[in-house]
Amino acid sequence: KGAFNRALGRDLNTPVDLAEMREPAGTPDLDFLSQVALQRRSELVQLHCEAMSYQNQASSIRSSYLPQLNLLGASTYEENRYQVNPQITSLSVNCQWDFFDSGRRSFQAMNLEDQAVAAERERADKQSVISLQVYKAWLDLKSRREQVVVAQSALKASDENVRVTRARYNQGTGTNTEVLDAETLREQAYRNYFASVYSSLVSYMALQRAAGVL
């Protein structure tokens, strides 16, 4: 309990009352989780934004080849007795067309476009990696849940073994050593059961993390 409070940055003597965790019923849909992962995983979003940024920068550079037209209007008021009209309004039009720069801007635009393509390729590769992560996490959860079922069967068998052994001991046909051995086996069966349950919970959380939900 002290270690738990320390991990949360709380006073070590703070009362701790943990609720038993339970997995949601039903088997998670692999296809749905894979689609969710491809939409939510931050790595994919970041790479997509990088590619779009490079494309926009390249488009901005290429647009500088087009004629640039600037329209400027201004109104100036000045108190000057030697000036007939204290307010002067002006309008100017400026046109600039830099159609040749030895290919410098073209090279910059091509470089940015290459970076955008590289980001998209990395994103496509990351998509396959993430899909594999989700699939492996889903298989791991399935395996862990099967282990829980096996542990439950062993638990029932150990309880029955203890019951039978105690009955034989009470009837004088068994020994106390057999009872102690049966209790030891049941204790181990319970340990295995809870270990399998919590492993299954961890696998479920890992699947949610792989899907980008957590």
Side-chain angles (χ1 to χ4, degrees), residues 18-24 194 197-198 200-202 204-205 214:
L18 300 179
E20 189 70 22
M21 295 183 63
R22 298 186 181 278
E23 289 186 52
F194 285 112
V197 169
Y198 293 130
S200 179
L201 284 168
V202 171
Y204 179 79
M205 295 299 178
L214 294 180

Side-chain angles (χ1 to χ4, degrees), residues 155-171:
L155 202 62
K156 294 178 180 179
S158 66
D159 288 337
E160 180 64 18
N161 182 42
V162 168
R163 187 189 67 80
V164 172
T165 305
R166 284 181 176 177
R168 291 180 57 199
Y169 176 76
N170 292 332
Q171 294 174 2

Side-chain angles (χ1 to χ4, degrees), residues 130-158:
I130 289 176
S131 296
L132 180 60
Q133 289 176 351
V134 174
Y135 182 59
K136 291 176 65 177
W138 184 82
L139 287 178
D140 184 65
L141 175 61
K142 182 179 179 182
S143 175
R144 299 291 182 181
R145 287 185 170 181
E146 291 174 353
Q147 292 177 9
V148 172
V149 175
V150 174
Q152 284 177 333
S153 300
L155 202 62
K156 294 178 180 179
S158 66

Side-chain angles (χ1 to χ4, degrees), residues 10-39:
R10 305 191 305 188
D11 184 83
L12 299 181
N13 295 321
T14 302
V16 177
D17 185 15
L18 300 179
E20 189 70 22
M21 295 183 63
R22 298 186 181 278
E23 289 186 52
T27 303
D29 190 332
L30 176 60
D31 294 334
F32 174 75
L33 290 177
S34 298
Q35 292 297 325
V36 171
L38 297 180
Q39 295 175 0

Side-chain angles (χ1 to χ4, degrees), residues 10 15 26 43 46 51-52 64 87 95 112 119 129 143 153 156 159-160 170 185 187 198-200:
R10 305 191 305 188
E43 306 96 309
Q46 179 181 355
M52 292 298 297
S64 64
Q87 185 172 3
C95 183
L112 290 170
V129 172
S143 175
S153 300
K156 294 178 180 179
D159 288 337
E160 180 64 18
N170 292 332
L185 291 175
E187 180 183 355
Y198 293 130
S199 295
S200 179

